[in-house]
Amino acid sequence: MAQSARSDHPTNPSPAEQPQQDRPRRLALSPSRAGDFKQCPLLYRFRAVDRLPETPTRAQARGTVVHSVLERLFELPADQRDRDTAAELLAPAWRELSAEQPELAELFTGEPELNDWLKSAGELLESYFELEDPQRIEPESCEQRVETELESGLVLRGFIDRVDVAPTGEVRLVDYKTGSAPRQLNEAKALFQMKFYALALWRSRGELPRQLLLMYLADRQSLAYTPDEAELNRFERTLEAIWQAILRAGRTGDFRPSPSRLCGFCDFKPICPAHGGTAPPYPGWPGTREDAETPSTPDG
């Protein structure tokens, strides 16, 4: 699910100065880009500022397709949300995705490989039905876009897999996990992401989510977490500190690499100075370069 980074910049027109359709998107922070900067500031730069291309993977494509199927499943009447229907939605979801991103078809050398991959996606959907019964759930929304501005001026932006609201009003945020990252690392990143969404929802709607639910489809396990106001207030200060560090790096171009065992999975390793490579010239922070008035400011 997925992937944003921004805040207001003086060069951006205020809402009163321009019609919505003519305004560039405001600088904002997403959980993915915040996580990138925490992991490695240079990774953030390559993804959010330089916007360098990355090689897609089968695992990423599988996650996108599974999320798409689950979103479509909840668009159907409750009595149609069964395993057979989910299986039927799988191939159309792949055809739509591969039509939008033709390069994904190059991940497979032939029909047998593609069919095996689709089967693996189907197994993740089977796992989902082991974790909950979608016929008993009526989400408020799926793939919910959330955006809010904190008192500091920092804008938070992202997409929540699912928002459930109980008849008594309690809010639950649900996130599906399909990746194969090590469990401990995966949970740490996932909880960071979910706290981000919880804070954004709380600040935008005034409702503190009662539960954050992570559904790990690969191993058929769920992790439920209950945030509280004090914790989210601390998390808000953490995000503001991350954003200030991003802005400082953006002014100078000093996005330093932070080598770790994750470097082996990074597409940018060949151009990373920490591994003997040479980074491309810094293009400048949005708002200080010619494309500053376009929507392609750092986001994910």
Side-chain angles (χ1 to χ4, degrees), residues 5-6 9 11-12 24 27 44-52 249-251 253 255 281-299:
R6 311 184 172 131
H9 192 282
T11 62
N12 285 0
L27 294 175
Y44 172 92
R45 186 203 126 174
F46 286 157
R47 280 181 169 164
V49 183
D50 297 73
R51 292 182 172 271
L52 300 180
R251 285 191 291 268
F255 291 91
Y282 181 54
W285 187 249
T288 63
R289 63 194 196 204
E290 291 182 0
D291 69 349
E293 294 304 309
T294 73
S296 57
T297 46
D299 188 23

Side-chain angles (χ1 to χ4, degrees), residues 22-160:
D22 296 331
R23 285 183 237 142
R25 295 181 73 195
R26 300 176 65 192
L27 294 175
L29 188 65
S30 78
S32 297
R33 297 294 79 85
D36 286 345
F37 191 84
K38 277 166 51 69
Q39 177 183 320
C40 174
L42 187 59
L43 173 63
Y44 172 92
R45 186 203 126 174
F46 286 157
R47 280 181 169 164
V49 183
D50 297 73
R51 292 182 172 271
L52 300 180
E54 298 182 71
T55 304
T57 68
R58 293 184 184 184
Q60 291 166 346
R62 181 168 53 233
T64 300
V65 166
V66 169
H67 278 77
S68 177
V69 169
L70 292 174
E71 180 183 6
R72 296 176 188 197
L73 195 69
F74 279 107
E75 293 174 351
L76 299 173
D79 61 0
Q80 296 181 29
R81 299 176 199 154
D82 54 32
R83 297 169 191 260
D84 290 342
T85 301
E88 291 170 2
L89 291 170
L90 186 55
W94 162 246
R95 286 195 296 269
E96 184 176 309
L97 178 63
S98 58
E100 293 173 354
Q101 302 179 50
E103 68 275 12
L104 295 181
E106 300 175 6
L107 294 172
F108 309 99
T109 59
E111 284 296 317
E113 278 192 4
L114 176 59
N115 290 336
D116 286 344
W117 177 83
L118 286 170
K119 181 181 178 182
S120 70
E123 290 169 351
L124 291 175
L125 291 170
E126 281 287 328
S127 296
Y128 165 74
F129 283 91
E130 295 296 321
L131 294 174
E132 69 177 5
D133 180 0
Q135 295 186 351
R136 302 179 61 183
I137 300 168
E138 288 298 339
E140 178 184 85
S141 61
C142 293
E143 293 300 319
Q144 172 67 51
R145 184 180 188 274
V146 60
E147 179 172 331
T148 190
E149 181 176 352
L150 304 180
E151 289 186 1
S152 65
L154 169 60
V155 177
L156 306 181
R157 182 181 295 135
F159 288 85
I160 305 171

Side-chain angles (χ1 to χ4, degrees), residues 110-276:
E111 284 296 317
E113 278 192 4
L114 176 59
N115 290 336
D116 286 344
W117 177 83
L118 286 170
K119 181 181 178 182
S120 70
E123 290 169 351
L124 291 175
L125 291 170
E126 281 287 328
S127 296
Y128 165 74
F129 283 91
E130 295 296 321
L131 294 174
E132 69 177 5
D133 180 0
Q135 295 186 351
R136 302 179 61 183
I137 300 168
E138 288 298 339
E140 178 184 85
S141 61
C142 293
E143 293 300 319
Q144 172 67 51
R145 184 180 188 274
V146 60
E147 179 172 331
T148 190
E149 181 176 352
L150 304 180
E151 289 186 1
S152 65
L154 169 60
V155 177
L156 306 181
R157 182 181 295 135
F159 288 85
I160 305 171
D161 285 352
R162 201 176 83 209
V163 179
D164 298 338
V165 180
T168 50
E170 292 91 347
V171 176
R172 178 174 71 175
L173 307 185
V174 180
D175 194 67
Y176 312 117
K177 294 299 176 188
T178 61
S180 57
R183 185 61 185 274
Q184 185 175 3
L185 174 62
N186 194 24
E187 285 191 2
K189 287 186 173 181
L191 281 175
F192 180 91
Q193 178 185 42
M194 294 300 281
K195 290 178 184 179
F196 185 104
Y197 293 143
L199 175 63
L201 195 76
W202 183 30
R203 293 304 188 214
S204 63
R205 293 172 37 164
E207 297 175 277
L208 181 69
R210 178 68 176 273
Q211 186 182 80
L212 311 178
L213 180 64
L214 300 166
M215 304 182 71
Y216 291 92
L217 305 186
D219 55 11
R220 303 187 179 190
Q221 294 186 26
S222 294
L223 172 64
Y225 186 80
T226 302
D228 59 44
E229 291 190 13
E231 179 180 25
L232 291 185
N233 280 324
R234 290 193 299 271
F235 188 74
E236 181 174 4
R237 292 192 292 272
T238 296
L239 292 181
E240 289 170 343
I242 291 172
W243 184 244
Q244 288 305 312
I246 289 173
L247 292 179
R248 286 194 297 272
R251 285 191 291 268
T252 62
D254 186 16
F255 291 91
R256 300 185 182 185
S258 181
S260 72
R261 59 191 179 91
L262 296 175
C263 293
F265 303 97
C266 182
D267 269 12
F268 307 124
K269 186 175 179 179
I271 60 171
C272 178
H275 297 279

